[in-house]
Amino acid sequence: MSGRVKKPGVHLAPAGITVKELIEEYCGGMLEGHEFYGYFPGGASGGILPASLGDVPLDFDTLQEHGCFIGSAAVIIFSDQDSAKDLAINAMRFFEHESCGQCTPCRVGTGKAAILMEQPKWDKDLLEELSKAMEDASICGLGQAAPNPIRSVINYFPQELD
């Protein structure tokens, strides 16, 4: 667990626990002055979910219907003082840096996606077209999962795109 919690760190918890339970029972709650707003259930590539889905059990099968996955179970908590849009851009810049450069969809796609995401208004159709190309044509999981934060912001945090 990392992010806006009182006790970040490695916590051994049972599969199927919810993020709200993790925050309260393992992390001592949110930092003072911060209200739970959303989370990455499986690290940067696992997608982003809003606090309203904080009761979804964290397990391999439960997150798929929400367009996310548990991945490494590296849960990142963010608050009402953060922006899911900015966090998604940061994740995309991370993917761009981490790309091995072997395949064009990931090498070029992550950089292009970051540029498009940094625009004041997102071109959702173009971002989805790029996401689909990266997902379908990247040769490894990095490029295939990189679109998850884009889609998560569009689906769960549309108010940040207005």
Side-chain angles (χ1 to χ4, degrees):
M1 294 285 292
S2 64
R4 308 291 188 184
V5 293
K6 289 180 182 174
K7 295 181 200 167
V10 177
H11 301 284
L12 183 61
I17 193 167
T18 70
V19 75
K20 286 181 180 178
E21 291 170 329
L22 276 173
I23 292 168
E24 293 306 316
E25 296 173 24
Y26 290 81
C27 298
M30 296 292 292
L31 288 173
E32 295 302 322
H34 291 264
E35 184 178 320
F36 179 41
Y37 180 55
Y39 62 108
F40 290 79
S45 62
I48 310 171
L49 292 174
S52 62
L53 292 175
D55 290 318
V56 173
L58 296 173
D59 212 340
F60 291 98
D61 296 330
T62 57
L63 297 170
Q64 289 176 344
E65 69 181 274
H66 304 289
C68 293
F69 61 85
I70 197 163
S72 62
V75 181
I76 306 166
I77 305 298
F78 58 98
S79 79
D80 57 337
Q81 296 183 34
D82 299 304
S83 161
K85 178 182 174 182
D86 289 345
L87 292 168
I89 292 167
N90 187 56
M92 192 59 67
R93 285 291 181 201
F94 170 76
F95 300 143
E96 178 186 25
H97 181 265
E98 290 299 303
S99 175
C100 72
Q102 189 173 351
C103 71
T104 303
C106 181
R107 180 183 68 248
V108 175
T110 53
K112 183 65 174 174
I115 290 168
L116 292 170
M117 294 165 73
E118 290 169 342
Q119 299 306 306
K121 181 141 177 75
W122 283 15
D123 184 335
K124 296 176 199 169
D125 292 335
L126 184 56
L127 280 166
E128 180 54 34
E129 187 178 332
L130 179 58
S131 294
K132 188 74 175 135
M134 290 170 58
E135 183 179 64
D136 290 345
S138 293
I139 59 176
C140 83
L142 181 88
Q144 294 165 3
N148 288 342
I150 296 170
R151 291 174 172 150
S152 295
V153 171
I154 291 169
N155 290 332
Y156 297 114
F157 302 93
Q159 71 280 5
E160 292 192 21
L161 301 177
D162 294 335

